[in-house]
């Protein structure tokens, strides 16, 4: 679970608090952040948007392992991108994926996200991708 989100390092409680606080601040200022996913069994994961350091907005997802490959990430990311483009009016959304994270690549590929530029700046190499509002509307309608 932590492998591609936290470089496989343990996550300190203070770090979790910082992430939650940043998401709350983002909801207050920009109307987006990380949404919790719940099903009949309870907490199922998170999916949402956060600002990048270069002024873009990035989609993120994390699903509880016992729900992997049930279509939850795709369903959640679709709802988040609808919110991003149809409600918030964003012009594009980025994704950033470790090259070895085949599951996440597949999720973004199915959403119609395409490579932004060749970059490899993480320990296992990362790829930046984007989807524009026009592409989202043409592929999701
Ligand atoms: C990436 C992640 C969110 C995918 O969640 P998921 O709910 O299993 O994804 P879905 O069930 O919606 O599957 C979407 C597609 O990805 C494919 N997929 C899922 N896991 C895969 C894997 N390990 N390898 C290859 N493809 C995979 C599915 O088969 C499906 O494609 P298909 O419809 O063509 O068969 C989940 O594996 C996860 O939480 N990983 C840990 C956190 C993480 O890495 N987050 C991303 C950081 S960028």
């Amino acid at each position: 679970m932590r492998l591609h989100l936290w470089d496989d390092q343990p996550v300190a409680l203070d770090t979790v608090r910082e992430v939650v606080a940043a998401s709350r601040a983002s909801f207050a200022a920009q109307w987006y952040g990380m949404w919790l996913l719940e099903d009949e069994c309870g907490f199922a994961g998170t999916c949402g948007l956060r600002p990048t350091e270069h002024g873009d907005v990035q989609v993120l997802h994390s699903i509880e392992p016992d729900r992997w490959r049930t279509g939850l990430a795709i369903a959640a990311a679709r709802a988040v991108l609808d919110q991003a483009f149809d409600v918030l009016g964003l012009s594009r959304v980025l994704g950033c994926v470790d090259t070895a994270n085949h599951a996440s690549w597949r999720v973004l590929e199915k959403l119609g996200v395409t490579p932004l530029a060749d970059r490899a700046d993480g320990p296992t190499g990362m790829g930046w991708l984007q989807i524009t509002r026009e592409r989202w509307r043409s592929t999701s309608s």
Side-chain angles (χ1 to χ4, degrees), residues 3-104:
L3 178 62
H4 298 295
L5 281 176
W6 300 99
D7 294 335
D8 213 15
Q9 297 302 305
V11 184
L13 184 57
D14 281 350
T15 304
V16 175
R17 289 190 173 122
E18 285 169 19
V19 170
V20 172
S23 176
R24 284 192 172 140
S26 177
F27 272 118
Q30 286 133 333
W31 293 41
Y32 64 73
M34 296 303 296
W35 282 272
L36 296 184
L37 309 176
E38 288 184 358
D39 59 19
E40 61 281 358
C41 298
F43 177 74
T46 67
C47 186
L49 303 167
R50 78 171 177 197
T52 71
E53 58 189 36
H54 300 298
D56 275 297
V57 175
Q58 176 183 0
V59 63
L60 295 160
H61 43 234
S62 169
I63 304 299
E64 288 295 285
D66 61 352
R67 273 84 153 191
W68 283 358
R69 288 185 180 259
T70 63
L72 193 52
I74 287 283
R78 285 205 170 110
V80 165
L81 290 177
D82 278 342
Q83 177 80 6
F85 294 126
D86 295 342
V87 179
L88 301 174
L90 300 181
S91 57
R92 74 172 184 174
V93 170
L94 303 189
C96 182
V97 187
D98 285 351
T99 48
N101 191 351
H102 304 295
S104 196

